[in-house]
């Protein structure tokens, strides 16, 4: 079993087996592999019930009793992924890492992701053991082999990490924190080009505690996260390595939760990654990884493995996982601490919000109006010209074009566009031509028209708009439909959900900073609800979530974690259901990170069979001048592919061209 630091709690899923008898276990394994075929069930049951230290004793006894190498026999008897997993469990951790790295740099090509994962996440002691194991197993120098197989700044950072000399002193100098922030800022954002050496030195050598404070201070000082600066300044494998180092500094379990999710999402499974992580973390921090996995991805690691693998391979992985968290609902303290830090970052963030569509320079509404008229006159329509003009003008400029078009030609540009275009492209272009408040008003009206109500649209818009935007929507709604938005919401929804939507639709959310005394009161208010009192829980949440400022709510959520060891989002999901749950979750996610909320919506609109074109259109239109650039960054960070790639793979024709123009870049 892994060696624990003094006072630390064991966070692995595999424990020393009580009444352990290595000779008896060796005999059981020998019998399981004797004769024709092998008893795979017996093998996996025994090996996943013993700690790595005990497995090494079994190997020694197996050789003493039978004069044979247990790992060689297992390789001979087993096949495929199951064999790789079982053999991985039988190696000492340092030798398992050494084998993974040897495989990553052997033959043609290099598995850079494997190198990054191992070297960015291991402690000094683990690195030293890895280097020694590599030398012992292959009679080669690991540093020399890494240098021979990599290059540039990527190679330099790997070599720094291979020294295993990261500072471990938890006493942090505030002066040095400030100096490192300044050095990183000057090496990246303030410099023409980038001084990669500063990034390598600071991120490769400072203690984790020191770096966490550097990252916090960097955000406060520059208004950008260190991750955003790394993405803007570095590239390729070097960028990926530095981001992995930052993630492991912030939370190694969260880094591995993300790696596991990406290994299983989408078509196909990255089995080598799945095996490597489940083997290497099973006696270290798999319980924390599990909890964070459920927090981030709204499903348990257990259930994802169960749905993504099969046979003895699946059974072994589930044994290593150690349990299913889907019914648990409660944070482990370590994972709650991660959530607390997440809210702390959110509470101090001054992230610059940027759209992808900007006012065109040298704008001439007369020229644009004439070009649009020409594109729609005669036989056929020049969609490319329409797309090029509309997607490269701000909404204010589009309104000027509409007026000029009417003045010149006595025609309604919107009516002409509607008659010339069709389908998804028509919806997108016409949406861009409407003033934002009128566009949102129309989306709300359509969500309530006819049989049934599209609650998701009501939630998306009302839970995410600012006071000013909500008030403008109310005016536009009244102007366009001669009814109040509140009246239509009242007649089309019911119960507490109706009350929540009407509260949001007033646009009267507080706009000040946090009130420290009231932060604690509000957190206590929602924490004190008696268990099982669903009605009281929902009412208390409504009073606070619908009225307090975003900045105040961030602090409330942080304080809530501190008080209860629960994350507020999981409390909502566990204690509520239906539309009430969905609207509260949307508010929480929007408060925490609005661009990420929309990135998730965009991803879900394009994943799986078919595309939700209306959702895709609505978000791309409404966020293009507000925060679509931020949404793009969150999208690639969470889903390991760019928004541009996702749109390209999921849409086609002129609709695709228009969406990519709004997207504004490939990332």
């Amino acid at each position: 079993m892994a060696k624990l630091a003094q006072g630390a709690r064991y966070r692995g899923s595999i424990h020393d087996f009580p009444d352990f008898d290595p000779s008896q276990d060796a005999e059981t394994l020998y019998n399981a592999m004797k004769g024709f075929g092998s008893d795979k069930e017996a093998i996996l049951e025994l090996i996943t019930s013993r700690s790595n230290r005990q497995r090494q004793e079994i190997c020694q006894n197996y050789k003493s009793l039978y004069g044979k190498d247990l790992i060689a026999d297992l390789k001979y008897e087993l096949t495929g992924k199951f064999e790789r997993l079982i053999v991985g469990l039988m190696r000492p951790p340092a030798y398992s890492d050494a084998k993974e790295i040897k495989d990553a740099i052997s033959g043609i090509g290099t598995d850079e992701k494997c190198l990054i994962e191992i070297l960015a996440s291991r402690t000094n002691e683990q690195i030293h053991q890895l280097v020694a194991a590599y030398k012992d197993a292959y009679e080669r120098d690991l540093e020399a082999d890494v240098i021979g197989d990599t290059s540039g700044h990527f190679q330099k950072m790997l070599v720094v990490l291979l020294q295993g000399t990261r500072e471990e002193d938890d006493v942090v100098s505030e002066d040095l924190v400030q100096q490192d922030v300044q050095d990183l800022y000057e090496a990246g954002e303030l410099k023409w080009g980038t001084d990669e050496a500063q990034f390598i030195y600071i991120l490769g050598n400072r203690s984790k505690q020191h770096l966490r404070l550097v990252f916090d201070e960097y955000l406060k000082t520059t208004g950008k996260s260190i991750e955003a600066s790394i993405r803007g300044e570095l590239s390729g494998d070097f960028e990926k390595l530095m981001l992995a180092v930052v993630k492991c500094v912030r939370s190694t379990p969260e880094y591995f939760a993300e790696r596991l999710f990406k290994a299983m999402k989408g078509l196909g499974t990255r089995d080598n990654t799945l095996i490597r992580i489940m083997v290497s973390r099973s006696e270290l921090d798999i319980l924390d990884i599990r909890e964070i996995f459920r927090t981030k991805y709204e499903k348990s690691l257990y259930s994802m493995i169960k749905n993504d693998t099969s046979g003895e391979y699946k059974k072994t992985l589930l044994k290593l996982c150690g349990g299913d968290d889907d019914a648990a609902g409660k944070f482990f303290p370590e994972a709650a601490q991660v959530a607390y830090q997440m809210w702390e970052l959110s509470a101090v963030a001054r992230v610059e919000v940027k759209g992808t569509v900007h006012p065109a320079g040298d704008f001439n509404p007369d020229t644009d109006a004439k070009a649009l008229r020409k594109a729609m006159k005669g036989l056929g329509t020049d969609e490319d010209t329409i797309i090029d003009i509309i997607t490269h003008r701000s909404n204010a400029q589009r309104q000027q074009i509409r007026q000029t078009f009417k003045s010149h030609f006595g025609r309604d540009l919107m009516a002409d566009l509607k008659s010339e275009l069709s389908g998804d492209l028509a919806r997108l272009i016409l949406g861009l031509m409407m003033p934002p408040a009128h566009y949102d008003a129309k989306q709300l009206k359509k969500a309530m028209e006819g049989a049934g109500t599209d609650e998701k649209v009501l939630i998306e818009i009302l839970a995410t708009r600012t006071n000013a935007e909500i008030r403008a929507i109310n005016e536009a709604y009244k102007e366009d439909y001669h009814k109040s938005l509140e009246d239509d919401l009242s007649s089309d929804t019911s119960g507490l959900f109706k009350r929540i939507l009407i509260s949001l639709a007033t646009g009267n959310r507080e706009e000040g900073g946090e009130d420290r005394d009231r932060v604690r009161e509000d957190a206590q208010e929602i924490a004190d609800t008696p268990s099982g009192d669903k009605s009281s829980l929902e009412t208390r949440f409504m009073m606070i979530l619908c009225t307090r400022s975003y900045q105040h709510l961030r602090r409330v959520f942080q304080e809530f974690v501190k008080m209860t060891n629960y994350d507020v989002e999981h409390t909502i999901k566990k204690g509520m259901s239906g539309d009430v749950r969905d609207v509260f979750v949307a508010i929480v996610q929007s408060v925490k990170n609005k661009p990420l909320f929309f990135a998730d919506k965009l991803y879900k609109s394009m994943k799986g069979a078919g595309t939700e074109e209306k959702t895709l259109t609505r978000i791309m239109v409404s966020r293009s001048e507000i925060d679509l650039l931020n949404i793009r960054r969150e999208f690639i960070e969470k889903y390991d592919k760019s928004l541009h790639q996702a749109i390209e793979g999921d849409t086609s024709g002129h609709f695709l061209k228009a969406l990519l123009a709004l997207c504004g870049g490939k990332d």
Side-chain angles (χ1 to χ4, degrees):
M1 212 160 58
K3 183 181 174 184
L4 283 178
Q6 192 171 2
R9 290 199 306 128
Y10 182 64
R11 304 301 297 155
S13 59
I14 303 296
H15 302 264
D16 280 336
F17 188 74
D19 304 321
F20 173 58
D21 184 339
S23 296
Q24 185 178 320
D25 285 350
E27 184 181 347
T28 300
L29 288 172
Y30 180 78
N31 289 332
M33 293 185 283
K34 195 169 65 175
F36 185 71
S38 53
D39 186 346
K40 298 180 179 67
E41 190 82 29
I43 293 169
L44 78 86
E45 280 290 337
L46 190 148
I47 288 174
T48 58
S49 301
R50 307 297 186 270
S51 67
N52 191 276
R53 178 187 62 77
Q54 291 175 330
R55 293 180 207 128
Q56 304 319 308
E57 288 189 56
I58 296 169
C59 282
Q60 291 166 2
N61 276 266
Y62 192 91
K63 186 160 260 186
S64 299
L65 287 170
Y66 305 109
K68 302 178 76 173
D69 184 280
L70 175 55
I71 288 180
D73 279 4
L74 287 166
K75 279 184 177 178
Y76 180 79
E77 290 292 332
L78 309 177
T79 58
K81 295 172 284 192
F82 179 53
E83 178 244 308
R84 286 206 303 276
L85 178 54
I86 292 295
V87 168
L89 288 166
M90 293 307 300
R91 292 192 180 99
Y95 284 82
S96 184
D97 279 352
K99 176 70 164 63
E100 291 293 330
I101 286 191
K102 187 75 170 81
D103 290 347
I105 55 181
S106 293
I108 299 169
T110 305
D111 184 349
E112 290 86 2
K113 288 182 178 178
C114 174
L115 292 180
I116 290 168
E117 179 197 297
I118 292 175
L119 296 182
S121 65
R122 299 317 192 241
T123 64
N124 286 345
E125 184 182 357
Q126 289 167 337
I127 291 286
H128 297 153
Q129 291 170 352
L130 161 61
V131 170
Y134 193 92
K135 187 80 170 175
D136 181 51
Y138 306 110
E139 298 180 349
R140 297 179 65 86
D141 181 71
L142 177 53
E143 184 179 320
D145 281 1
V146 166
I147 288 172
D149 215 61
T150 57
S151 61
H153 298 298
F154 178 59
Q155 177 198 90
K156 290 174 187 172
M157 185 61 178
L158 290 176
V159 170
V160 167
L161 294 173
L162 273 170
Q163 305 315 299
T165 54
R166 184 178 296 286
E167 297 163 359
E168 294 182 331
D169 187 0
D170 282 342
V171 178
V172 177
S173 160
E174 289 184 19
D175 290 341
L176 187 56
V177 167
Q178 293 295 339
Q179 185 60 55
D180 282 351
V181 168
Q182 192 60 35
D183 288 346
L184 287 170
Y185 192 43
E186 289 176 359
E189 299 289 337
L190 295 182
K191 188 178 177 68
W192 180 260
T194 307
D195 182 359
E196 290 87 353
Q198 280 286 22
F199 279 85
I200 290 171
Y201 176 73
I202 294 171
L203 294 182
N205 290 284
R206 300 288 193 239
S207 73
K208 285 191 170 185
Q209 180 63 22
H210 175 90
L211 285 173
R212 288 183 193 116
L213 293 175
V214 168
F215 300 160
D216 291 350
E217 198 59 38
Y218 189 90
L219 181 62
K220 291 177 190 174
T221 302
T222 68
K224 292 183 77 169
S225 68
I226 189 68
E227 291 92 338
S229 285
I230 287 171
R231 287 193 200 94
E233 298 297 326
L234 312 180
S235 61
D237 293 322
F238 181 45
E239 175 196 342
K240 290 172 188 168
L241 174 58
M242 299 306 260
L243 287 172
V245 168
V246 170
K247 286 174 183 174
C248 288
V249 166
R250 290 199 189 279
S251 168
T252 303
E254 186 168 3
Y255 170 72
F256 282 114
E258 184 180 309
R259 292 280 295 157
L260 285 168
F261 178 75
K262 288 176 178 176
M264 291 182 280
K265 76 181 177 79
L267 291 172
T269 304
R270 298 174 192 171
D271 294 293
N272 286 349
T273 301
L274 181 55
I275 290 167
R276 186 170 58 244
I277 296 172
M278 295 301 291
V279 167
S280 66
R281 310 315 290 188
S282 60
E283 293 185 43
L284 292 174
D285 53 6
I286 194 68
L287 299 186
D288 295 331
I289 292 168
R290 268 171 42 186
E291 188 64 25
I292 292 168
F293 192 98
R294 183 165 52 80
T295 301
K296 282 177 72 89
Y297 304 113
E298 301 176 18
K299 64 178 76 175
S300 69
L301 175 59
Y302 189 97
S303 66
M304 198 158 182
I305 290 171
K306 193 174 179 180
N307 293 331
D308 218 60
T309 58
S310 60
E312 284 84 12
Y313 175 53
K314 173 172 80 173
K315 289 178 184 176
T316 310
L317 288 170
L318 293 178
K319 287 275 189 182
L320 295 179
C321 187
D324 188 351
D325 298 304
D326 271 346
K330 189 171 182 179
F331 262 36
F332 292 118
E334 288 81 356
Q337 184 60 29
V338 170
Y340 182 91
Q341 290 164 356
M342 174 186 76
W343 289 116
E344 174 66 23
L345 279 173
S346 177
V348 301
R350 289 189 291 111
V351 178
E352 189 177 359
V353 177
K354 290 182 178 178
T356 54
V357 174
H358 310 281
D362 302 322
F363 171 59
N364 188 325
D366 188 68
T367 303
D368 285 348
K370 288 175 181 174
L372 287 170
R373 176 68 179 141
K374 184 180 176 185
M376 294 185 284
K377 204 163 68 170
L379 192 63
T381 306
D382 182 357
E383 287 93 346
D384 288 329
T385 295
I386 295 170
I387 290 167
D388 186 55
I389 292 173
I390 304 295
T391 60
H392 291 95
R393 305 296 183 269
S394 68
N395 194 276
Q397 290 175 333
R398 294 181 205 127
Q399 303 318 310
Q400 287 183 253
I401 296 170
R402 283 179 69 175
Q403 292 168 358
T404 305
F405 194 89
K406 188 154 233 173
S407 298
H408 276 325
F409 307 111
R411 302 172 67 91
D412 185 319
L413 176 56
M414 295 286 280
D416 280 5
L417 287 167
K418 197 180 278 190
S419 70
E420 293 290 329
L421 306 175
S422 61
D424 297 323
L425 178 64
R427 271 197 299 273
L428 180 64
I429 294 296
L430 289 168
L432 289 167
M433 290 304 302
M434 295 178 73
H438 289 264
Y439 180 71
D440 278 349
K442 184 177 181 182
Q443 300 307 306
L444 291 168
K445 181 68 174 169
K446 287 172 78 172
M448 295 184 280
E449 276 179 341
T453 304
D454 190 340
E455 291 86 1
K456 288 182 179 178
V457 174
L458 300 181
I459 291 169
E460 179 197 304
I461 294 173
L462 295 175
T464 61
R465 299 316 193 244
T466 65
N467 283 345
E469 289 168 339
I470 291 283
R471 289 169 192 152
I473 291 169
N474 275 298
E475 289 176 20
Y477 199 94
K478 188 83 170 174
E479 182 184 332
D480 293 344
Y481 306 112
H482 310 293
K483 290 182 75 175
S484 77
L485 174 58
E486 183 179 328
D487 287 346
D488 276 359
L489 287 170
S490 291
S491 62
D492 215 63
T493 57
S494 61
L496 182 63
F497 181 56
K498 174 176 80 174
R499 287 167 52 204
I500 295 166
L501 292 182
I502 289 173
S503 177
L504 294 173
T506 61
N508 284 325
R509 183 181 293 283
E510 295 167 2
E511 295 188 329
E514 79 246 28
D515 176 333
R516 286 293 177 146
D517 291 333
R518 198 158 60 132
V519 161
R520 283 185 286 275
E521 289 172 13
D522 285 348
Q524 197 70 58
E525 180 74 15
I526 54 178
D528 281 348
T529 309
S531 177
D533 189 351
K534 182 180 173 185
S535 176
S536 176
L537 179 71
E538 291 174 342
T539 302
R540 290 177 188 216
F541 267 87
M542 177 188 158
M543 286 167 52
I544 292 164
L545 292 188
C546 296
T547 61
R548 308 296 195 252
S549 72
Y550 271 28
Q551 189 174 340
H552 181 87
L553 284 173
R554 289 186 187 107
R555 291 293 187 190
V556 171
F557 299 159
Q558 181 190 25
E559 192 67 24
F560 185 84
V561 171
K562 204 160 122 183
M563 282 180 180
T564 67
N565 208 32
Y566 283 68
D567 178 73
V568 69
E569 189 174 328
H570 277 286
T571 297
I572 291 167
K573 288 176 179 173
K574 184 170 178 258
M576 304 179 202
S577 60
D579 296 327
V580 171
R581 176 199 60 206
D582 293 346
V583 70
F584 283 154
V585 167
I587 294 169
V588 170
Q589 291 176 345
S590 185
V591 167
K592 175 186 166 189
N593 186 335
K594 196 178 289 186
L596 179 58
F597 170 80
F598 284 114
D600 285 340
K601 295 276 287 180
L602 285 170
Y603 177 77
K604 287 170 183 171
S605 77
M606 292 182 279
K607 73 167 188 164
T611 306
E612 294 175 21
E613 288 87 357
K614 289 179 181 176
T615 302
L616 180 56
T617 298
R618 186 173 60 250
I619 296 172
M620 295 296 287
V621 168
S622 64
R623 310 312 296 182
S624 58
E625 291 184 55
I626 298 173
D627 55 2
L628 190 52
L629 186 62
N630 306 77
I631 292 167
R632 269 172 40 189
R633 289 170 179 163
E634 296 293 347
F635 194 99
I636 195 169
E637 168 67 21
K638 182 163 182 181
Y639 297 110
D640 213 21
K641 67 155 74 168
S642 69
L643 178 58
H644 188 282
Q645 286 174 301
I647 290 169
E648 213 168 26
D650 219 60
T651 58
S652 61
H654 289 105
F655 181 51
L656 165 66
K657 287 182 183 177
L659 287 171
L660 292 183
L662 289 180
C663 186
K666 295 185 177 182
D667 296 315

